[in-house]
Amino acid sequence: MSSTPTQGKAVDPDENKPVSVSGMVSTLVPVALISAAYLVIFLVLRRSQRRYYAPRTYIGSLRESERSPPLASGFFNWFGTFWKIPDVYALQHQSLDAYFFIRFLRIVTIITFVGCLITWPVLFPINATGGGGREQLDILTYGNINAETQSNRYFAHVLVGWIYYGFVMYMIMRECIFYVNLRQAFLLSPFYANRISSRTVLFTSVPTPYLDDAKLRKVFGPTVRNIWITSNTKELDETIKERDKVAFRLEKAEVKLIKLANKERQKALKNGGDAQDAEHPLPVGDTESGSIAARWVPNKKRPTHRLGPLGLLGRKVDTINWCRQELERLIPAAEDSQAQYRAGSYKKTPSVFIEFRSQAEAEGAAQILAHHQGLHMTPKYVGIRPSEVVWSALAIPWWQRVIRRYVVYAFITAMIIFWAVPVAVVGAISNVNELKKLDFLTWLDKIPSVIMGVITGLLPAVALSILMSLVPVVMRLCAKLSGEPSLSRVELFTQNAYFVFQVVQVFLITTMTSSAAAVAQQIKDNPSSATTILAKNLPKSSNFYISYFIVQGLTIATGVLTQVIGFVIFQILYKFLASTPRALYNKWANLSAISWGSTLPVYTNIAVISITYAVIAPLMLGWATIALFLFYLAWRYNVLFVTDTQVDTRGLIYPRAIKQLFTGIYLAELCMIGLLGASAQPWPLILMVVFLVFTILFHISLNGAINPLLENLPLTLLAEEESARLLDPEVASGTDSGVAAGPSMSAEKPTNGVHNKPVGAGKKPNFLAKFLKPWVYSDYNTLRALVPHHEGVDEYPDDIARNAYYPPSVTSHTPLLWIPSDAAGVSKQEIAHTSKVIPITDEGCELDEKGKLVWDRETTRPPVWEEKIYY
């Protein structure tokens, strides 16, 4: 929203007529049109493009237990089925992170909606009749209260603030309790507890004397099963990388040769020349290498490349023959290097993976003090999957880890300061109608009001969204450089850093620059009334965020659902740029994943902004509710039907996001204290300071109670679960009802302990009781009913268990090359000769008459398929 431009010279600020409705409509109309177009595209494409808009319903790379129920193919008849699928389906068929992500969006939607119910009935009439001289939608803000004649009305703002901020704090506490109990139930379920990652602990900063298998077994006792001491694998990594690079170059060259031969053969058949030879290829065994292809492809057209830099300089060689020769050297070299590593010929680095015999023993080892010196054999991590390990970070010594962390913090701080410049410009544009009163910007008065509405409403919001998209990649790089040992820790680091970045840049800098733009001329003309002017104009900075929420809620939310750009890129990559069977399969079978660290902070910041302005400008809560609800629907669809989880934080993204809402409460209280001070209202000010102190004490107490339960599992529950599995085999294997079985477990009869007497047995709790007592009705035993048990983890084969935490280059096998079969028999001959050097097959894919690769995408497994191992 913005004020209307005045004609001629500037008038008195109090007589300046705002056009909040006009600015809001100017933003809403184009955004609504774009959103409608997105929605139409989605409704049309989802009917025919099942791979992109509903792959989780059928794709073969997922197990049956991981798939979602199919939706109807009509334009609208699918929504009822979609709406009826519970959110917990994501927990049972995907991951903790996926479930808690959509739960977070639902919870913040509830928080903003309840905020509307609390603030609107009280503050709208109080603000609207406050006598502050504001007009249109500005009359609904705190700034419309006349401090001289209506000062008692500020008590209403304080009272409503107490109620709403108290409600938000209770929701934070409630969700933390829910998270802790559900996380414990999930991680202790057979589905997760039997995984090798659940009983493996990573120790970092291990001193050199303890980089020894015997000493580590002496420290941790007979409960140790396997030990993997990390090492420097730089040379081995380079050898494996070069081997795979040459192998896949050979694969591409073979496919290219087959396509060229097929193309020329089809021309011969079409023109009638050499038709007899074309239809009767030579027997493979009677031919020399490449002789069948040579009938159609002359030597000068065979795949070639240059050996110099970037493939542009150097000697030109026949790619297929050169690759075969190189692989004859590289494959034995790679196998020798891997054998030397397994024999212990490597330089050790200060990190160790230790697998224990049970989850309880691993958790116990992670919670004890392992070394007598500070910063040694710490930090420790449980539950890191091998695919998530950042191997380069494990070589960092303890002292370097400390230095790197502070250097990274300094860099991120500098980046925030640097980004303040363009973000400040965006904030100033949102209130350009106030800036044009300055002498050197009066020319802005000549811009038509409709264009000015778009410039002040739509343009800043879109520009800010684009600007913020450039940041997360740098954040992740900083996390890896600081020594985070896994991709899950990298995402958690990014979540915190990017949230700070979002709050400072999207919120604080924009708010301050927008407010400064609104009051600059007024304070210049009347400096003695600075506090009054600030109290009246600070709420105006909410104008930008109303436009921001409209853009986010409509355009961005429908964009998240439709993913038009992603769909186009997918089609281009799959149909035009995937030139080999392997590339086709990888593009088809690998689902997209959500980057938790850069996605959640955006919505956390929206919730923070909404909480901050809830009392100052309550109208914003309405737009925030709409935006967050649309995001909830869009991401819910994606989680259930489109995306997969690649990085597993074991749900830790959720308590971080929930507790970050305290930022909104603190900012709201500080803003209220500042506004009440600027309005010279001592008693409401004192009451708000009292509540700020209460908030701080509540926050400290909550952290003290919850934080110890976030990273580790309690030994009491571990012991109880171990006993239960020994006494009742069904507890370990689950039941057919869809929930994990266990003693004294009931969804409607919760208990206060693992085997205690149910609370309120025989009574079905009402909604209010369940809402107000999460420690009773969302306790561990109750939430066990939600955890997945559809299939456990079978005993790992010996080679899988033995190699689990070796670096990837140590366990990397020589790749199987996959080429298409062809009618001319070129593939058969190439297989006969290339297989002498490296495994190769043409099963499962063929070239059709048009020279396109054809493979069975749904019923058979391709030769390069690998079974997913649940580490």
Side-chain angles (χ1 to χ4, degrees), residues 19 61 100 116 118 132 173 232 268 418 496 513 571 583 625 639 650 701-702 707 738 767 776 785 825:
V19 287
S61 57
F100 276 121
C116 294
I118 293 174
M173 180 193 72
N232 186 343
F418 170 78
N496 278 347
T513 55
Q571 293 295 325
T625 301
V639 166
R650 310 210 301 177
S701 301
L702 181 65
N707 285 354
F767 168 78
V776 174

Side-chain angles (χ1 to χ4, degrees), residues 195-265:
R195 298 185 182 187
I196 195 170
S197 62
S198 295
R199 56 177 188 264
T200 300
V201 184
L202 167 62
F203 294 87
T204 59
S205 304
V206 179
T208 302
Y210 285 91
L211 294 176
D212 180 80
D213 190 286
K215 286 189 176 181
L216 290 172
R217 290 182 183 275
K218 184 176 181 180
V219 170
F220 293 102
T223 60
V224 174
R225 177 175 292 177
N226 286 309
I227 295 177
W228 297 272
I229 301 174
T230 61
S231 62
N232 186 343
T233 59
K234 184 178 180 180
E235 293 183 3
L236 175 58
D237 292 343
E238 292 176 352
T239 302
I240 298 298
K241 182 180 178 181
E242 182 65 18
R243 182 201 67 187
D244 292 349
K245 180 182 177 181
V246 173
F248 294 135
R249 170 175 275 182
L250 174 59
E251 182 181 75
K252 290 181 179 180
E254 296 278 20
V255 174
K256 184 178 180 180
L257 178 65
I258 295 170
K259 286 183 176 181
L260 287 172
N262 183 76
K263 182 179 179 180
E264 295 301 323
R265 178 176 177 274

Side-chain angles (χ1 to χ4, degrees), residues 1-13 15-24 26 135-136 138 430-437 444-445 447-450 452-453 456 540 543:
M1 301 192 307
S2 56
S3 300
T4 215
T6 57
Q7 302 297 326
K9 64 179 181 179
V11 295
D12 183 79
E15 296 176 2
N16 187 24
K17 184 178 181 180
V19 287
S20 301
V21 175
S22 175
M24 188 167 62
S26 297
E135 297 181 7
Q136 296 196 31
D138 281 350
S430 71
N431 243 321
V432 72
N433 285 327
E434 300 291 340
L435 283 176
K436 69 184 181 181
K437 297 173 186 176
L444 293 172
D445 235 356
I447 299 177
S449 59
V450 175
M452 184 62 72
T456 59
K540 278 189 176 183
N543 297 343

Side-chain angles (χ1 to χ4, degrees), residues 14 106 250 253 275 356 359 406 422 442 487 511 628 658 737 740 821:
D14 291 333
R106 179 160 60 90
L250 174 59
F356 293 85
Q359 183 185 34
Y406 286 115
T442 54
L487 296 180
T511 297
L628 290 169
I658 282 292
S737 61
S821 62

Side-chain angles (χ1 to χ4, degrees), residues 552-573:
Q552 289 283 329
L554 295 179
T555 304
I556 309 300
T558 52
V560 166
L561 182 65
T562 308
Q563 303 180 74
V564 176
I565 298 177
F567 173 74
V568 172
I569 293 175
F570 175 83
Q571 293 295 325
I572 292 174
L573 291 176

Side-chain angles (χ1 to χ4, degrees), residues 357-378:
R357 298 188 182 278
S358 69
Q359 183 185 34
E361 291 162 347
E363 290 288 342
Q367 296 178 40
I368 63 172
L369 185 62
H371 198 271
H372 57 280
Q373 291 182 335
L375 302 178
H376 286 68
M377 297 189 73
T378 188

